[in-house]
Amino acid sequence: MKKIGRNNPCWCGSGKKYKNCHEALDNRLAMEADRGHIVPTRDLIKTPEQIAAIKESCAINIAVLDYVQAHIQAGVTTEQIDQWVYNETTKRGGIPAPLGFEGFPKSVCTSVNEQVCHGIPSEEVVLKDGDIVNVDVSTIYHGYFSDSSRMFCIGEVSLEKKKLVDVVKECVELGLKEVKPWGFLGDMAHAVQTHAEENGYSVVQEIGGHGVGLEFHEDPWVGYIGKRGTDMMMAPGMIFTIEPMINMGKHDIFVDEENDWTVYTEDGRPSAQWEIMVLVTEDGHEVLAY
């Protein structure tokens, strides 16, 4: 980190003197780095002004998912969900972040049953009784990004599928309990992995969460296979997603060769995912989007 005079303006742009703003945090990060820990760089630490703007984006993201939750049912096509998301996002002044992102053709990802993630909405995919579906919404508002997803059980689902959906949500909640300053991303990953495997499930290894806020996908990459005390140290001002993808069967996956987006379980068994967006605070964490 570039040295800054204590009485000079802080690097974050707050206008405050460095000694009254981020000096103490920088000193702690430097000390932890000297101890051999991986620590976040300054560009991963969001300022209070940025956090306030990101929260506005998150409010839209939550409202859009609330709308989906109120209307999703058997007989609805995933294309209809895409239209809901586009309309509800844009009428609130937002932009659906997935639309056109690296060529993605739709405003939302809708992943049904054995689809792990990045399912592309289609008029041909009609939700039916017994399906489970992940709806992954991401929003840009005034240049700030938010990202969260929810699982929905359509009609009467099997007890096997219902348990998977519930356990994955529990994994997210247990991971969240580990989010606090000066803990490690590995602490969170360990909690997720342990609960999933204790229930006989497997954690997708190749795809994980990510930093978010100023960009759609930022560092750090967030995995859900890990050991306590490993990976990047968490510090106040970090924002990232907790979004484990957990399979009922084996963890192996493959990408659809035709659309080059949709990820499936190799063994054809169901997969589930919940995603929240979390801020590390001075004394714990705050969930920004869910």
Side-chain angles (χ1 to χ4, degrees), residues 27 194 217 266:
N27 288 342
T194 299
H217 295 141
E266 185 73 44

Side-chain angles (χ1 to χ4, degrees), residues 175-176 178-179 184-192 222-224 240 242:
L176 179 63
E178 300 294 335
V179 177
F184 297 87
L185 288 177
D187 301 345
M188 181 273 298
H190 178 75
V192 170
V222 181
Y224 307 102
F240 57 88
I242 302 178

